[in-house]
Amino acid sequence: MTISPSSIEQVIPGQGAMAQPSAAPGRAKRRRFRFIANAKAATGLVILGIYCLFAVIGPWVAPYNPDARSGDVLQAPSLRHWFGTTHLGQDIFSQILVGARSVMVVGLVAGVLATILSILIGVTAGYIGGAADEGLSALSNVFLVIPALPLIIIVTSIVEQASDTLVALIIGCTSWAWGARVLRAQTLSLRRRDYVEAARATGERPWRIILFEILPNLTAIIASGFVGTVIFAVMSEITLAFIGISSISSWNWGTILFWAQGQQALAQGAWWWFVPAGLAIAVLGTALALINFGIDEFVSPRLRSAGKTRIRTADGRSVRMRVGFTPVLAPTPSVPTPRAATTREDVVR
């Protein structure tokens, strides 16, 4: 007598028959798009996408040549010049659009380079171990103490025309060490997990284990490190331009602030000269920070459910649980009980 496989049921002691597990496509789809569904991450991605779009089409859609001079000197924002003009009649809105490309190129190139180096060195050191781990860890410690900003200042002072690519390469080559150490520590923890040991026992090659077993569990840390490196690279590029170290012939937001500070824009009451550039920097930093917060909430269930969990007390009240706060319930007043008679006078009464 044969039994069809479809009639076989799994039985768990104490729980009875259990049906075969079925796939839940709706739940899997929701889990796949959980990061985009996060309000912080979605807002940050939209703002970052707008900045990237301006970086690509900015020089083409700019209404004026950012270097062109005109007779409209220090004009306040108007329909003709949306963000006003400089002391030479240059359109500030055009300078903001053209300068977005330099800032985004430096930030993204430095972030990608630092992320690739941190993955190659950190994951390799953590998985291989032994002498290779010691050597790569020593290399990370050396680069960890190299100051990026002073090195960029020295290089740009030696090279006459330091391009944005050179600045991005220097930032990327000096910003990978911290991410590499974090990835190494996580890889040391992951390489002894059961699924990694099972893959190694089946004869999988090391590169395949790293790519398909370890790296997927490091995605959130890699993304967070990339966002942090982009923020540092953008701030470094703007700082170098503001203090006049990098080339002032190419436009970026730091160059706008450099000329505004040099021509005493604040003393002349030309607030429109430096406020748009400052707001552009602040909004970009906010977008990257929101993406970083979204990544933290995506990988941490405790942060994801913060403020959404409610508990019900014995008296029926509802209390919302929040991360970092311990709810303290006020004691309910107790009803006084009658005092027992203890003396002869109390008994007589």
Side-chain angles (χ1 to χ4, degrees):
M1 176 179 178
T2 59
I3 302 175
S4 61
S6 59
S7 63
I8 300 177
E9 294 181 343
Q10 295 179 356
V11 180
I12 299 179
Q15 297 185 11
M18 183 182 65
Q20 295 293 328
S22 60
R27 183 178 301 176
K29 184 182 246 183
R30 287 195 302 268
R31 188 181 299 112
R32 185 181 307 168
F33 295 100
R34 182 181 294 168
F35 176 72
I36 303 178
N38 185 282
K40 297 177 184 177
T43 304
L45 289 175
V46 169
I47 298 175
L48 184 61
I50 294 174
Y51 272 85
C52 292
L53 179 63
F54 285 157
V56 174
I57 68 174
W60 300 334
V61 300
Y64 301 95
N65 184 350
D67 296 319
R69 303 183 182 185
S70 65
D72 300 331
V73 178
L74 286 180
Q75 294 293 321
S78 61
L79 293 177
R80 185 175 180 181
H81 300 284
W82 289 3
F83 290 172
T85 60
T86 66
H87 68 298
L88 299 177
Q90 298 167 331
D91 186 66
I92 298 177
F93 180 67
S94 301
Q95 295 177 355
I96 294 288
L97 289 178
V98 174
R101 175 176 294 184
S102 174
V103 173
M104 297 304 298
V105 165
V106 171
L108 294 178
V109 171
V112 170
L113 179 59
T115 302
I116 293 175
L117 291 176
S118 63
I119 293 174
L120 290 177
I121 297 177
V123 177
T124 302
Y127 182 79
I128 295 178
D133 183 17
E134 296 293 336
L136 294 176
S137 297
L139 182 64
S140 301
N141 294 333
V142 171
F143 276 87
L144 196 63
V145 297
I146 294 179
L149 198 59
L151 181 61
I152 298 173
I153 294 175
I154 294 173
V155 173
T156 52
S157 62
I158 297 175
V159 181
E160 295 182 359
Q161 295 294 332
S163 62
D164 296 332
T165 306
L166 178 61
V167 174
L169 292 177
I170 296 175
I171 296 176
C173 291
T174 55
S175 305
W176 58 267
W178 180 256
R181 290 190 62 84
V182 175
L183 292 176
R184 173 186 173 272
Q186 292 296 322
T187 306
L188 287 174
S189 174
L190 292 175
R191 71 175 184 177
R192 295 303 181 188
R193 299 291 177 89
D194 293 339
Y195 57 89
V196 177
E197 294 289 350
R200 190 182 295 112
T202 57
E204 293 288 351
R205 296 182 178 180
W207 65 268
R208 187 175 179 83
I209 295 176
I210 293 175
L211 287 180
F212 296 99
E213 302 294 343
I214 295 179
L215 280 183
N217 294 282
L218 300 176
T219 305
I221 300 176
I222 294 172
S224 180
F226 171 77
V227 172
T229 306
V230 171
I231 295 176
F232 174 74
V234 168
M235 293 295 108
S236 300
E237 166 73 1
I238 295 173
T239 301
L240 291 172
F242 176 69
I243 63 180
I245 297 299
S246 61
S247 176
I248 59 176
S249 60
S250 60
W251 288 103
N252 65 54
W253 301 334
T255 307
I256 299 173
L257 297 177
F258 169 79
W259 287 111
Q261 190 270 341
Q263 298 300 323
Q264 300 295 322
L266 183 60
Q268 298 185 48
W271 55 267
W272 58 87
W273 198 343
F274 55 87
V275 168
L279 287 177
I281 299 170
V283 173
L284 178 59
T286 302
L288 295 173
L290 288 175
I291 294 175
N292 202 2
F293 294 155
I295 294 172
D296 291 340
E297 294 184 2
F298 176 72
V299 300
S300 176
R302 186 166 178 258
L303 292 177
R304 188 164 58 246
S305 61
K308 299 180 182 179
T309 304
R310 291 178 176 272
I311 61 173
R312 186 171 297 277
T313 59
D315 56 355
R317 288 184 297 170
S318 180
V319 180
R320 174 178 294 181
M321 303 293 292
R322 295 183 180 180
V323 176
F325 295 90
T326 302
V328 179
L329 303 180
T332 56
S334 58
V335 181
T337 57
R339 184 170 58 90
T342 56
T343 61
R344 182 178 300 179
E345 289 78 4
D346 293 336
V347 174
V348 173
R349 291 174 185 175

